[in-house]
Amino acid sequence: RTKFKELARYEFPLPPLEEQRRIAEILWAADRAINNFEKLSAHIENYYLQYLATKLAIPSPDGRRVKIKEVAEINCQTYSEKTTPSDFVIEYIDISCLESKTIDSTVKYEFGEAPSRARRKVTNGDILLSMVRPYFKAFAKVITDKEDLVASTGICVVSPGPEIDADFLLHIFFTKDFFDYCNERMTGTNYPAIKPSDIAEYSINLPSLGEQIEMASLLSLLDKNKKEVDIHVQKIKELSKFLINEHLAYHRSI
């Protein structure tokens, strides 16, 4: 908190009234644009979630319901502590590297010098899920031709089989149903987490591969549109901040 008497002593440059009005109009227009874009982003997000919930709640024509472990492998390739040689270079992915549906960055290490949790071998098309605080939805699909990616043991590596589309599987992990499923199974206080076996046992309705690809295509398009809208919001906020700072700097110099 701050005291009002301290706030009352704050000084700032005061331009002519006409210029104040011009600056205020620009900033109000920026606020309206931000508000409209944020509403659009929320609408896209709501449609994304409703589409997922509606489509995935409908049983497939053959009534088939499967567990993740039946259509994908879980942590199928793991390096042991005795892996040799230990001087080969890896690109390490820990939980902090995972953004929503993307891998933000990796860190290069010689395997022998890497963190002890660097054990899960990762290949193109794998789905990575942070098992710690899954409500943050740090889940991503691997899109790369690199062969030296290694993930932390705090990440579950899900490798889709031939019956399930990787993008379709990724979107499944963003459903409210999966969120509720994780909440029921989290253990621990400081670092609430689920286990790889929890992911393996999660059940889904499995439509045909063609339907999966069609659904994933629309969901990925919604994702792309939302990200573009969010980028516009960020750019307008940065522009507003820049204009305010430039105005203050200019009038302080007069």
Side-chain angles (χ1 to χ4, degrees):
R1 295 189 181 187
T2 185
K3 295 179 180 178
F4 177 75
K5 65 179 181 180
E6 298 295 336
L7 186 61
R9 285 201 291 267
Y10 175 70
E11 295 183 354
F12 59 92
L14 187 66
L17 189 59
E18 192 59 36
E19 187 175 352
Q20 293 177 39
R21 288 175 179 149
R22 182 178 64 82
I23 294 169
E25 285 177 5
I26 294 172
L27 295 176
W28 277 119
D31 281 347
R32 287 193 295 271
I34 289 170
N35 185 52
N36 289 336
F37 276 126
E38 287 180 337
K39 285 182 179 178
L40 177 57
S41 178
H43 283 316
I44 295 173
E45 176 74 7
N46 287 337
Y47 182 76
Y48 174 93
L49 293 174
Q50 288 173 7
Y51 181 87
L52 268 175
T54 301
K55 288 292 184 179
L56 294 178
I58 301 173
S60 56
D62 61 1
R64 190 177 179 198
R65 189 167 177 83
V66 299
K67 294 181 178 180
I68 296 296
K69 67 180 181 182
E70 296 177 57
V71 291
E73 293 186 275
I74 308 294
N75 296 333
C76 60
Q77 300 183 72
T78 302
Y79 288 115
S80 73
E81 295 179 5
K82 298 178 181 179
T83 298
T84 57
S86 63
D87 61 349
F88 68 94
V89 176
I90 65 169
E91 292 203 28
Y92 177 54
I93 304 170
D94 69 4
I95 293 171
S96 66
C97 298
L98 300 181
E99 294 291 332
S100 180
K101 302 185 179 74
T102 61
I103 298 173
D104 182 53
S105 61
T106 58
V107 182
K108 286 191 175 183
Y109 288 103
E110 286 189 357
F111 183 75
E113 301 298 323
S116 60
R117 293 172 69 87
R119 293 288 177 265
R120 309 285 192 218
K121 189 172 181 180
V122 174
T123 58
N124 188 44
D126 285 344
I127 308 298
L128 308 185
L129 298 94
S130 169
M131 292 183 290
V132 179
R133 298 190 178 97
Y135 44 78
F136 285 150
K137 299 181 181 179
F139 311 146
K141 177 188 170 186
V142 178
I143 305 174
T144 184
D145 56 1
K146 295 178 180 178
E147 298 181 354
D148 53 1
L149 292 177
V150 178
S152 163
T153 52
I155 292 172
C156 181
V157 180
V158 181
S159 304
E163 290 185 273
I164 192 162
D165 178 71
D167 290 319
F168 175 76
L169 180 57
L170 174 64
H171 290 298
I172 281 174
F173 294 127
F174 286 84
T175 58
K176 183 179 182 299
D177 186 71
F178 183 69
F179 175 81
D180 293 340
Y181 176 86
C182 290
N183 275 347
E184 292 172 0
R185 286 157 180 79
M186 282 190 300
T187 57
T189 304
N190 294 330
Y191 298 97
I194 55 174
K195 298 175 290 187
S197 58
D198 293 324
I199 295 170
E201 292 294 325
Y202 181 65
S203 296
I204 61 168
N205 289 321
L206 189 70
S208 70
L209 192 57
E211 289 177 293
Q212 294 174 38
I213 293 171
E214 184 179 344
M215 289 172 61
S217 178
L218 174 59
L219 291 166
S220 296
L221 180 60
L222 290 170
D223 250 354
K224 179 183 176 183
N225 290 341
K226 184 179 185 304
K227 286 176 182 176
E228 289 176 354
V229 170
D230 291 342
I231 288 171
H232 282 306
V233 170
Q234 188 58 37
K235 285 183 176 179
I236 296 171
K237 286 180 178 179
E238 290 172 358
L239 179 59
S240 296
K241 186 176 180 180
F242 172 78
L243 290 173
I244 292 170
N245 289 337
E246 283 294 296
H247 154 70
L248 292 175
Y250 172 74
H251 285 283
R252 283 196 181 107
S253 66
I254 296 177

